[in-house]
Amino acid sequence: MLAGALGDLVLGLLASCLSGLAVWLWQRGRHNRDLRLRMRVVGARPGDTCLIVMNNKYGAPGTTHHHDVQAMIEAAVLSHSLECEVEVVRSDDFRGSNGNRPEFCIGGPLGSNARSAGHVAHTLPGVTFHPYTHPEHPLAFEAGGVLHRRDSGNEEYVLLAKFTAPGGERPVILVCGQTALTNHAALHFLRRSYRRIADTVASTDRFCLLLKVPSIRTYGHQGVVLERDLTDVAFTPGA
């Protein structure tokens, strides 16, 4: 009887070990699949140095809004999750190609980030950004004949685009929000919803998404949702 009990104990321990090994292998496989998908969506690989281009607070050159700082932190956390290093530069000081460094360019093209203005003018001709001083639609986005207005503090929008800029070997992730909070929301969305992005776009090599941040006073930047895929119109002049 003792031998039988010991045999049952050994079999039980063996079964537990095999079960634990199977769970560990499944979790490791899932982690690796998630890592590969994040790499594909962001366009960064382990060992890369990701470039984060800081913007200016609107109307206050040389300063950065709290939510834009949080957006940079989101980009840095995402980069480190891909086992990448991070380099931060100011938009006022950076010229030229991003070369072999994936780039996160944060801030809108109208008085916040001069580099964003250059990216938009060259790469997103199908999107119009109305200035803050527009008499009817301040800070509205227009694409494909559809106007996306800002309802200050209630419902606001942000563009999240990916493309390869001239002279660059690695992609640019461009974030152009109507406010600093929406910039924060876009990087939060990219870090947490990369599967949704991959399922939505035709190609992870190049895309342009419109994100909406509704119910800001209730949910803040965490309420961000995917509104539209603008890829077909954003990269096409006069679309």
Side-chain angles (χ1 to χ4, degrees), residues 108-230:
L110 304 176
S112 177
N113 189 322
R115 188 167 177 84
S116 291
H119 283 318
V120 167
H122 185 274
T123 309
L124 300 177
V127 181
T128 299
F129 294 78
H130 291 288
Y132 185 79
T133 55
H134 193 283
E136 297 178 2
H137 314 299
L139 296 180
F141 297 155
E142 189 170 356
V146 180
L147 193 67
H148 300 279
R149 299 178 179 87
R150 176 196 178 206
D151 182 3
S152 179
N154 294 309
E155 184 173 282
E156 299 173 349
Y157 292 92
V158 55
L159 286 183
L160 175 65
K162 178 186 177 185
F163 51 86
T164 301
E169 302 170 24
R170 310 308 298 279
V172 173
I173 298 288
L174 178 65
V175 174
C176 292
Q178 293 175 328
T179 62
L181 181 141
T182 56
N183 293 334
H184 184 185
L187 267 302
H188 177 80
F189 183 85
L190 177 63
R191 184 171 68 85
R192 296 175 62 90
S193 302
Y194 54 90
R195 294 186 191 88
R196 177 75 190 281
I197 293 173
D199 290 342
T200 298
V201 300
S203 170
T204 55
D205 292 334
R206 189 179 78 159
F207 57 79
C208 182
L209 302 176
L210 179 72
L211 309 180
K212 180 170 68 175
V213 190
S215 304
I216 290 173
R217 288 187 175 88
T218 303
Y219 303 113
H221 73 279
Q222 294 179 331
V224 59
V225 295
L226 176 59
E227 177 74 0
R228 290 180 62 195
D229 181 359
L230 295 177

Side-chain angles (χ1 to χ4, degrees), residues 43-50 82-86 100-102 170:
R45 299 188 295 257
D48 283 345
T49 295
C50 292
L82 299 174
E83 303 174 18
C84 297
E85 299 298 320
V86 170
N100 63 356
R101 298 172 296 179
R170 310 308 298 279

Side-chain angles (χ1 to χ4, degrees), residues 21 30 38 55 61 82 97 105 134 138 167 185 195 207:
L21 178 62
R30 180 179 179 182
R38 287 199 306 274
N55 62 326
L82 299 174
S97 167
C105 192
H134 193 283
R195 294 186 191 88
F207 57 79

